[in-house]
Amino acid sequence: MGAVPKKKVSKARSSRRKAVWMRLDKPNLVECPHCRELMVPHHICRNCGYYRGVAYLEVEEGEA
Ligand SMILES: [Zn+2]
C-alpha cells in the first residue's frame, strides 16, 4: 500500500484506483469464434486449438 494515510484518501479516489488495477489485472478476452470460449485475442484458442479457422493444436473435442 502507499504511504498516504488511509483517512486522507477519499473513497472515490481509492475506488478509482482500484478500478484501474482491475483493468490491468485482467487481460482483455474475446470469444472464440470456433468454440465460444473466452480466449486471448490474436492467439491460438487454448480450448479448441483453433486460430482464424485453422486448427493449430490437436485438441480432443467432444464433451461427455
Ligand atoms: Zn476455441
Side-chain angles (χ1 to χ4, degrees):
M1 296 299 260
V4 181
K6 206 167 188 179
K7 284 179 183 175
K8 295 233 172 183
V9 182
S10 69
K11 283 183 183 175
R13 187 174 162 185
S14 65
S15 63
R16 203 184 309 151
R17 194 170 358 160
K18 218 175 277 181
V20 173
W21 261 99
M22 291 291 285
R23 209 192 308 153
L24 289 174
D25 201 54
K26 290 185 180 178
N28 57 326
L29 297 172
V30 295
E31 197 179 76
C32 173
H34 188 76
C35 68
R36 302 258 173 145
E37 200 74 22
L38 287 179
M39 58 173 280
V40 183
H42 310 301
H43 281 258
I44 299 168
C45 174
R46 288 184 190 176
N47 189 55
C48 66
Y50 268 69
Y51 175 56
R52 295 179 67 175
V54 180
Y56 286 91
L57 299 174
E58 285 190 30
V59 178
E60 281 194 40
E61 285 191 48
E63 294 171 27

